[in-house]
Amino acid sequence: MAVDLLLGLQWGDEGKGKIVDVLTTSYDIIARFQGGPNAGHTLEFEGNKHVLHTIPSGIFHPKAINLIGNGVVIDPVIFKKEIDNLAPYKINFSEKLLISKKAHLILPTHRLLDAASEAAKGKAKIGSTLKGIGPTYMDKTGRNGIRVGDVLSPDWEEKYKRLTQKHLRMLESYNSSIEYDLDSMEATFSESIKALSKFKLVDSEQYLFEAQKKGKNILAEGAQGSLLDVDFGTYPFVTSSTTTAAGACTGLGVAPNKIKKVFGIFKAYTTRVGSGPFPTELFDKDGETMGRVGNEFGATTGRSRRCGWIDLVALKYSIQINGVTQLMMMKGDVLSGFERIKICTAYKTETGIMDYFPYDINSRIEPIYDEIPGWEEDLTKMSKVSQFPAKFQAYINYLEEALETPIKIVSVGPDRKQTIFR
Ligand code: GDP
Ligand code: IMO
Ligand code: MG
C-alpha cells in the first residue's frame, strides 16, 4: 500500500499526462489534487491522441478508479465536454470516476472576472488561460465559494444567484469592455450542472482513507508545475493553487507521512506558456527549433510555448521543495541534432552569483551555462537504455549527478510505448 505523487518540476507541460497513463497499470486509484481546466494533459496510444483537463490521466485503463479531489476546481461545462469526447471509449464512468463533494465550482462569472482582471492589468497580465481559476480559488479562500456538493442542496439556486450577483457588481467596478451573453452562458452551465450531478459525488478523503486501509495503491497526479506554485513559483506570474507536494495533502486529505515516492518530471529543456520571468529563455534559432521539433503549443489554449535550455538552479529548487525521490526526463528526442547542449548551473544577478532560486527572479538575471556536446541520432525508435548514444547518456549522467537524484524514466516520444525505464 502506498500513496505516490507525480509532479511537474518546471512551468507545466512536462508530460505528466503521458507518464500517469504509463504508470496507471501499477495503481488502483489515480487522483487529481489541484488546479482545474487550466491543465491540459496529453496522452497518446494506439494512434490516438487525447487531451484531458479535469479528468485524471488514468481514465483509459480498464481497472483504475479516477478521482477528482477536493483541491480541484471544476468547470461543469468543460467537464461535460471532456466526458462527451470520451464517448467512443465506452468508459463506465459510474464505476470509474469519483468526484469530491468538496471540490469548488467554476461559475460562468468566474471566467468573466478572470478576463476582466487580465484586461485591467494590461502589459502586466499573467497570461492566464482565462478558465476562471484565480477568481474561483479567491472565492474558496474568501469563504464565498460554491462546492460540488451544493448542487444537491435545496438552496442551490439561491447560492448560485447570490454569488453571481456579487460577481456582476465586481465586474462593473472593473469598467471593462469585455462582451458577454450571460443568459446563454448560464443555459449551458445549467445543463452541465445537471450532467455533473449524475456522477458519483463522494466524500473523497474518506474514500481514500478507506482505500489505504484496504492496501490500495494510489497515485496523486499534479497539474501545472512547481514554478507556477502560488507560494514558491515566480509570483505573481503563477497559478492560484499549491502545485507542490504539500498540495496533495490538502487537495486529497492524505496525511504527509503516507506519501512514499515523489516522482518529479521535467523536460530535457525548459518551456513556459504565459507571461513571467524565464532566465534561460531563447530568442534565437535554437529556441525556435525546440518549439518546432517539440511541437510546443499549449494543450489548453494553443498558444506557442516559450522555449529555453535546461535550468538546474530551478530544478534543484523544485526537487528540494517537493522532496523528489526519483526523476523522469521527457522529450530528450527533441534535442537530437543540436551541436552543443547548454546547461544553466547558476544565475548572475546584480548582487552576485546565485546557485539557488532567489525571491527576485527578474529579466536582468543572466544564466551561467556549462556546455556539453550534443548527439545526432534519432532517439524516437529506441526502446532500451543500451541503444542510447554515448553523448545522450552523458547528458543524463551529468543531470543525475548535478541533481543528486536518480533519473528512472527517459521518454523519447509522445506515445505510451516511447518510454524507457532505467
Ligand atoms: P502535461 O501538461 O504535463 O501533461 O504535458 P502536455 O500534455 O501539456 O505537454 C506535453 C507534450 O509533449 C504533449 O504534446 C505530449 O504528447 C508530448 N510529449 C510527452 N513526452 C514526450 C517525449 O518524450 N517526446 C516528445 N517529442 N513529445 C512528448
Ligand atoms: P498543465 O497541467 C502550463 C499558466 C498560464 C499562466 C499562469 C496562470 O497542463 O501543466 P491560470 O489559468 O492558472 O490563471 O494561469 O499559469 N498555466 C499553465 N502553464 N501548463 C499548465 O498546466 C498551466 N496551467 C496554468 O499559462 O501563465
Ligand atoms: Mg499541459
Side-chain angles (χ1 to χ4, degrees), residues 378-390 392-393 396 408-412 417-422:
D378 174 9
L379 308 178
T380 58
K381 307 255 172 350
M382 297 184 181
S383 56
K384 294 198 282 278
V385 173
S386 57
Q387 294 170 313
F388 286 163
F392 180 55
Q393 188 59 57
I396 298 174
K408 291 287 197 184
I409 288 181
V410 175
S411 170
V412 293
K417 291 203 178 115
Q418 293 168 302
T419 311
I420 300 171
F421 288 79
R422 292 173 81 232

Side-chain angles (χ1 to χ4, degrees), residues 155-171:
D155 53 359
W156 152 256
E157 290 280 344
E158 195 195 313
K159 279 186 174 158
Y160 172 81
K161 277 205 188 107
R162 203 182 317 129
L163 189 54
T164 300
Q165 290 305 323
K166 183 178 163 200
H167 289 165
L168 292 174
R169 288 193 297 274
M170 288 164 73
L171 213 49

Side-chain angles (χ1 to χ4, degrees), residues 13 40-41 299 305:
D13 303 329
H41 294 181
R305 296 176 182 146

Side-chain angles (χ1 to χ4, degrees), residues 12-18 39-44 49 224 265 267 293-299 305 329-334 380 411-415 418:
D13 303 329
E14 296 88 353
K16 299 175 290 292
K18 167 180 164 158
H41 294 181
T42 315
L43 289 76
E44 281 193 42
K49 178 174 165 174
Q224 289 79 52
I265 179 165
K267 277 179 192 169
V293 179
N295 195 22
E296 295 295 356
F297 296 96
R305 296 176 182 146
M329 186 173 92
M330 313 300 286
K331 300 191 107 163
D333 54 296
V334 175
T380 58
S411 170
V412 293
D415 193 88
Q418 293 168 302

Side-chain angles (χ1 to χ4, degrees), residues 11-13 16 38-41 126-129 224 238-239 273-274 303:
W11 279 284
D13 303 329
K16 299 175 290 292
N38 48 350
H41 294 181
I126 309 289
S128 160
T129 60
Q224 289 79 52
V238 294
T239 190
V273 60
R303 291 177 292 178

Side-chain angles (χ1 to χ4, degrees), residues 136-153:
T136 306
Y137 278 115
M138 279 162 73
D139 271 338
K140 173 178 175 173
T141 51
R143 298 159 297 174
N144 294 309
I146 297 188
R147 299 187 292 174
V148 166
D150 289 329
V151 304
L152 307 172
S153 125

